[in-house]
Amino acid sequence: MTSRVLRSRRNTVIGIVLTAVMLFPVYWMINVSLTPQQDMRKSPPDLLPLHPTFTGYRAVLDDQLPYLWVSLLIGLGTVTLTLVLSAPAGYALAKLRPRGAGLLGLLLLIAQMVPGIVMAMGFYGIFLNLGIMNTWWGLVVADSTIAVPFGVMIFAAFMSGIPDELLSAAKVDGANLWRTFTAIVLPVSRNAVVTVSLFSFLWAWSDFVFANTLDAGGDMRPITLGIYKYIGNNNQEWNAIMATAVIASIPAAVLLVLAQRYVAAGVTAGAVKD
């Protein structure tokens, strides 16, 4: 028992140290966002904001708030489109078992391996010809091309674990295929829905490659381009730059904390079979 306790304490200490090392950049970002501009060049820098200021956060509200709303709109649009396309596709692969399901699964896996910059250049040519550069819904379509293959694989893995007897009982009760999917399968697949929604939102929220490639200089820019533009125009205003990064990180951090239990269940679905 003594050896086991010592091993547990050692692992706890190691875990705390590694967590502190990984979270230090986040802490430093917050520290710099609260540091007055005249204290930026101090050597060594203050490990704590001894004279905190919120001028950087006021600059965020004045300059970056429209970009935050655009990112929120793109993120929610990506989540909606991803769920509409991936949930029925995952159900079809898991339960309807169409011909070529194995090949389709392989193609989805290959789609996850295509570099984003390659896809961005393809979208650039298509969007330019269609005249839809710098539109928020165009970025929703582009971001969904990354999220949908992932969503289909997650839904297929999760829904394959739903007992066939449950679906047969619904069919006996007179439910058609669509009714069974919406009334039985989707409510049972809550963990998968949360997982796919979270990852698709985070991909859209943090996207820079698609946003920068498909931007034509308009006003509908996400926060990633807002930060990039702000750095270019104010490369000495580091407290405002870091304040922007802090504000942009809050939605992702909150969602991860709230949904971690569902995500853990969703991403491991189908890993263990009876």
Side-chain angles (χ1 to χ4, degrees):
M1 287 297 295
T2 303
S3 176
R4 185 176 301 175
V5 171
L6 290 176
R7 190 183 306 113
S8 176
R9 291 179 178 176
R10 182 195 62 190
N11 293 339
T12 300
V13 172
I14 293 174
I16 292 174
V17 171
L18 292 177
T19 302
V21 170
M22 289 186 291
L23 291 181
F24 182 77
V26 178
Y27 164 74
W28 196 251
M29 179 175 65
I30 298 173
N31 182 29
V32 173
S33 72
L34 297 172
T35 301
Q37 190 63 34
Q38 62 271 17
D39 295 342
M40 289 292 176
R41 291 182 174 84
K42 290 182 62 177
S43 182
D46 295 328
L47 293 177
L48 294 173
L50 301 179
H51 308 286
T53 177
F54 292 93
T55 56
Y57 290 93
R58 284 195 290 269
V60 172
L61 296 178
D62 292 338
D63 300 333
Q64 302 293 314
L65 194 59
Y67 300 125
L68 289 169
W69 286 117
V70 173
S71 284
L72 181 62
L73 182 63
I74 294 172
L76 295 178
T78 302
V79 170
T80 302
L81 182 58
T82 300
L83 291 179
V84 168
L85 295 178
S86 61
Y91 174 65
L93 290 178
K95 293 301 180 183
L96 303 183
R97 301 178 181 90
R99 287 185 177 181
L103 177 60
L104 181 57
L106 177 61
L107 293 176
L108 291 173
L109 185 61
I110 294 176
Q112 293 283 289
M113 302 167 62
V114 178
I117 187 62
V118 174
M119 300 174 64
M121 296 308 297
F123 276 121
Y124 179 83
I126 296 173
F127 282 29
L128 189 62
N129 290 331
L130 295 178
I132 56 175
M133 295 286 288
N134 196 53
T135 57
W136 68 268
W137 52 269
L139 287 178
V140 167
V141 173
D143 291 330
S144 297
T145 58
I146 296 179
V148 168
F150 171 82
V152 173
M153 290 189 293
I154 290 295
F155 276 118
F158 192 94
M159 292 176 180
S160 63
I162 298 177
D164 291 334
E165 293 79 7
L166 184 63
L167 306 183
S168 299
K171 185 177 181 180
V172 170
D173 290 339
N176 57 23
L177 194 62
W178 180 250
R179 175 69 175 175
T180 301
F181 171 70
T182 56
I184 305 295
V185 176
L186 273 184
V188 173
S189 305
R190 179 184 59 180
N191 292 338
V193 171
V194 174
T195 301
V196 174
S197 299
L198 177 64
F199 279 93
S200 58
F201 181 85
L202 293 180
W203 279 326
W205 183 267
S206 61
D207 168 60
F208 178 78
V209 174
F210 286 151
N212 190 42
T213 305
L214 304 177
D215 173 58
D219 297 327
M220 298 297 289
R221 293 178 175 178
I223 187 60
T224 49
L225 283 187
I227 296 175
Y228 181 68
K229 176 184 176 183
Y230 197 83
I231 293 175
N233 296 338
N234 308 274
N235 57 3
Q236 301 298 322
E237 303 291 335
W238 281 105
N239 58 349
I241 293 171
M242 290 302 176
T244 305
V246 171
I247 296 297
S249 302
I250 289 176
V254 171
L255 288 175
L256 284 172
V257 171
L258 294 178
Q260 59 179 337
R261 178 166 59 92
Y262 302 102
V263 172
V267 297
T268 57
V272 178
K273 298 290 185 179
D274 294 333

